[in-house]
Amino acid sequence: MSATCVVGLQWGDEAKGKIVDLLAEDHDFVVRYNGGNNAGHTVVHGDKVFKLSLLPTGVLKTHLTSVIGNGVVVYPPQLLKELAALEAAGVHVSNLAVSDHAHVIFPYHIAEETSTEQGNGSIGTTGRGIGPCYQDKVGRTGGIRVGELLHPKHLRERLHQIVPRKNRVIKALAPVDATDVKQFDADAVCDEYLGYAEKIKKFVKDTAYLLHDGLAAKKKILFEAAQGSLLDIDHGTYPYVTSSHSLPSGIWSGTGVPAKHLDRIIGVVKAYTTRVGRGPFPTELADGPEGIGERIRKIGREYGTVTGRPRRVGWFDSVATRYTAMLSGANEITVMLLDVLSGLSELKLCVAYDVDGERRTTFPSDSFQLERCQPVYETMEGWAQDLTSCRTVDDLPIQARRYVARISELLGLPVSIVSVGPDRAQSIPMR
Ligand code: GDP
Ligand code: IMO
Ligand code: MG
């Protein structure tokens, strides 16, 4: 086998980081192909907790090469911050490659997003400048790529073209009565980024060649999706999505590795659903401080890794995940955080939606339609036991096994791993 992809099938935070970490051992490359430091992947090794936002989870395994592909947007101060935090934790990262084609996030992207996120039309973004940076990439006239940071004269000229225009945009987007509109100085931004460039230049490469050389040498590649498939720019719950292709379709464009090399696609799902930010969520449990939603949030520690925002929580939605399983091409699924559901007498699984008097089992194309969908539930018996020490299928109570089997049946995919806690050891192989 040459290439595997780990992809989230919900709205992100499915515990992709844990699965990537489990698989990384057997690979030579771990590659991020989309997003930026809007992602937050937590990995637990015994008493050590690592939180990675921009770096691929593979950096924790220093035998392999970690790659930030061209489809990623790079915020250099965050890259350096994460590298320094790892160094302080005793992880020395030397095998990192950052695509020279990847686009760079500048402070004016963050300021632009702060403006557009104020008021009615907000998406509930992570506020990291991701959307504006991808807009500049696609718009072409305002985008700057990592490779350009290594050419001081060229970078200064580009920033002198771009920054005055950005200042006008930021002014125009600000509320009319705003008194503290951020404005940027091209030379100051350039000097700051040249400082970052000095520190990251050793990592900058044409990563498409690097990966193809690896494939030619029969090296094994693991692709790590950021975000979840329902946040994919094309197939997610638009406009409440992120600005990149989180589905595996992003791999080809986001790394230069053609789809023909992918032979294993692992869809990661939580045993329930979470979502951060705005947008429709049919199975949301908005049932107050004493409700099941709050209970799951507390036990599952459902607070965003990047922003600390409480994650919205709901029952497992098989209509949504069957849709993303289909689009992702997943061959198998892993069911995560099953332990969090212990102690609930009944569990609900959404198997269809009712909308305008009709029952449907397909996912609607538009967020405004999804907003009106009422979930149709199947109820299953819960279990009382704590699952966190279970290590084999036989350790799981029969109700938990039935619940996982039903998810597998609804998605039409085998379950390869059930996770019952954050630690690597808390993973149950299912076949
Ligand atoms: P990612 O963005 O998909 O990598 O997921 P996050 O790291 O943002 O969120 C998943 C969270 O659940 C992390 O804090 C993990 O440490 C934690 N986690 C992973 N697997 C399990 C599990 O099986 N049970 C519990 N209770 N927590 C888990
Ligand atoms: P990981 O990789 C969960 C959400 C934001 C917001 C929307 C757009 O940890 O699963 P953006 O800043 O990307 O423009 O925000 O996408 N979002 C995530 N939600 N997990 C993530 O990443 C996310 N990355 C972005 O909350 O709703
Ligand atoms: Mg996350």
Side-chain angles (χ1 to χ4, degrees):
M1 291 209 295
S2 53
T4 296
C5 174
V6 172
V7 59
L9 298 186
Q10 294 157 319
W11 278 288
D13 303 324
E14 299 90 348
K16 299 174 291 292
K18 173 172 171 172
I19 296 297
V20 170
D21 184 59
L22 283 175
L23 298 176
E25 205 75 65
D26 298 330
H27 287 82
D28 303 293
F29 292 91
V30 173
V31 185
R32 278 271 309 262
Y33 59 90
N34 76 303
N37 59 314
N38 47 349
H41 302 172
T42 304
V43 174
V44 180
H45 291 174
D47 58 359
K48 285 197 168 172
V49 180
F50 299 96
K51 289 184 188 291
L52 300 163
S53 196
L54 177 57
L55 288 169
T57 302
V59 292
L60 301 176
K61 302 274 184 299
T62 42
H63 75 277
L64 53 73
T65 304
S66 293
V67 178
I68 293 182
N70 59 277
V72 175
V73 285
V74 176
Y75 186 48
Q78 177 65 26
L79 183 67
L80 293 168
K81 193 172 149 195
E82 280 182 41
L83 288 170
L86 286 174
E87 194 73 44
V91 182
H92 178 65
V93 179
S94 53
N95 293 337
L96 171 69
V98 180
S99 171
D100 54 1
H101 290 45
H103 276 252
V104 181
I105 298 178
F106 284 90
Y108 48 76
H109 289 129
I110 299 168
E112 208 177 319
E113 184 165 321
T114 305
S115 299
T116 51
E117 279 292 292
Q118 282 164 3
N120 285 339
S122 79
I123 305 291
T125 69
T126 59
R128 298 298 187 263
I130 305 292
C133 184
Y134 278 115
Q135 282 173 33
D136 278 343
K137 169 180 176 171
V138 177
R140 296 155 300 160
T141 51
I144 294 182
R145 310 203 294 184
V146 168
E148 293 177 81
L149 299 181
L150 310 187
H151 300 278
K153 186 166 170 289
H154 163 83
L155 180 68
R156 202 169 294 277
E157 279 168 15
R158 291 281 287 134
L159 283 166
H160 272 277
Q161 286 162 3
I162 294 166
V163 172
R165 203 163 65 207
K166 283 290 172 191
N167 282 337
R168 290 199 295 277
V169 169
I170 292 163
K171 256 194 197 147
L173 289 171
V176 272
D177 53 350
T179 49
D180 58 346
V181 181
K182 270 210 173 124
Q183 296 284 276
F184 297 89
D185 175 74
D187 283 316
V189 173
C190 185
D191 293 342
E192 181 188 341
Y193 274 63
L194 287 176
Y196 301 140
E198 209 37 54
K199 293 183 182 141
I200 65 171
K201 67 179 180 196
K202 61 183 174 211
F203 301 122
V204 179
K205 295 195 173 68
D206 186 332
T207 53
Y209 278 111
L210 179 77
L211 293 171
H212 278 271
D213 287 347
L215 287 167
K218 303 263 178 279
K219 301 287 186 198
K220 289 172 76 176
I221 302 180
L222 182 59
F223 292 102
E224 171 180 357
Q227 289 79 55
S229 303
L230 293 168
L231 292 171
D232 183 274
I233 181 72
D234 274 296
H235 298 285
T237 48
Y238 193 87
Y240 302 103
V241 291
T242 191
S243 300
S244 68
H245 297 280
S246 36
L247 277 160
S249 52
I251 293 174
W252 195 336
S253 58
T255 68
V257 175
K260 67 179 180 185
H261 293 286
L262 269 182
D263 39 23
R264 186 179 177 197
I265 298 176
I266 304 172
V268 185
V269 296
K270 267 180 183 159
Y272 47 95
T273 311
T274 60
R275 168 161 213 172
V276 207
R278 293 186 58 205
F281 182 177
T283 62
E284 183 167 14
L285 280 159
D287 50 0
E290 303 301 321
I292 296 175
E294 187 55 31
R295 177 196 164 104
I296 293 176
R297 184 176 301 114
K298 277 209 184 95
I299 299 175
R301 289 194 224 120
E302 294 294 358
Y303 297 89
T305 316
V306 176
T307 57
R309 289 178 290 178
R311 293 176 182 148
R312 297 159 66 192
V313 171
W315 294 118
F316 188 87
D317 183 341
S318 76
V319 180
T321 43
R322 201 169 41 237
Y323 166 71
T324 51
M326 171 182 85
L327 294 169
S328 67
N331 325 94
E332 62 191 84
I333 53 169
T334 62
V335 179
M336 314 302 285
L337 293 103
L338 188 66
D339 53 296
V340 174
L341 297 181
S342 288
L344 294 171
S345 56
E346 279 187 341
L347 302 173
K348 291 188 195 286
L349 284 170
C350 170
V351 292
Y353 298 145
D354 277 343
V355 61
D356 300 333
E358 286 192 17
R359 187 149 294 187
R360 61 185 293 166
T361 53
T362 54
F363 198 66
S365 306
D366 291 294
S367 279
F368 66 87
Q369 284 179 289
L370 184 61
E371 199 78 65
R372 291 186 297 111
C373 288
Q374 294 300 319
V376 178
Y377 289 117
E378 208 173 85
T379 302
M380 297 192 72
E381 196 187 339
W383 57 89
Q385 295 94 316
D386 172 17
L387 306 186
T388 53
S389 333
C390 295
R391 293 294 176 270
T392 68
V393 184
D394 295 335
D395 296 339
L396 291 173
I398 184 69
Q399 296 89 340
R401 274 183 269 164
R402 283 195 192 124
Y403 182 72
V404 171
R406 186 66 183 132
I407 288 177
S408 170
E409 187 178 46
L410 286 165
L411 269 56
L413 289 171
V415 176
S416 52
I417 295 174
V418 166
S419 176
V420 291
D423 198 78
R424 291 169 64 84
Q426 293 170 303
S427 312
I428 302 178
M430 299 295 282
R431 56 188 175 124

